Amino acid sequence: MNDQRWQDWTTTIAGLWLVISPFLLPAMGSAALEGLAFWNQIVFGLVIMVLGLAALYAYQVWEEPVEALLGLWVVVSPWVLGFAGLAAFTLTNVIAGLVVLALAGWMTFDKSHHAA
């Protein structure tokens, strides 16, 4: 494990935030939209968190492109799935998704990351 890969730790924390945030965020939409937003954040947060942790222990070249796609999905999912009216969920998705997307992009082009 390389303790200097703060990007992977940050990605893991962004995934963890997606998982726990539905339990903390106020939602004032329909039950169906709240359920959709809830499960979207839980599922994609868990996947991002697991990939971030996996990258800390055994880097794989495919991880960053997958993380980038997941981050992009998390950003656009409120509009695609129709829960953009739930402001707290949308803001959480956009911020966490942009963090994951930016770090995945950074790590894709950072040559020292691949050598670690």
Side-chain angles (χ1 to χ4, degrees):
M1 180 171 78
N2 184 347
D3 293 328
Q4 296 178 347
R5 297 211 356 236
W6 63 269
Q7 299 95 334
D8 294 322
W9 281 112
T10 305
T11 297
T12 302
I13 292 167
L16 177 62
W17 172 248
L18 283 170
V19 171
I20 64 172
S21 65
F23 300 100
L24 305 173
L25 296 175
M28 295 191 249
S30 71
L33 283 181
E34 288 177 19
L36 189 59
F38 176 89
W39 286 110
N40 184 67
Q41 286 188 218
I42 297 290
V43 170
F44 286 94
L46 282 172
V47 173
I48 289 168
M49 191 171 66
V50 167
L51 284 174
L53 287 171
L56 287 166
Y57 291 98
Y59 170 76
Q60 301 294 319
V61 73
W62 54 265
E63 287 170 352
E64 277 84 23
V66 171
E67 287 174 355
L69 289 173
L70 291 169
L72 180 61
W73 169 253
V74 170
V75 170
V76 302
S77 64
W79 292 274
V80 173
L81 298 177
F83 63 86
L86 301 174
F89 282 88
T90 300
L91 184 60
T92 296
N93 275 38
V94 169
I95 292 171
L98 287 175
V99 166
V100 171
L101 183 59
L103 291 174
W106 178 351
M107 292 185 293
T108 297
F109 297 105
D110 181 8
K111 302 299 183 208
S112 65
H113 173 74
H114 297 294

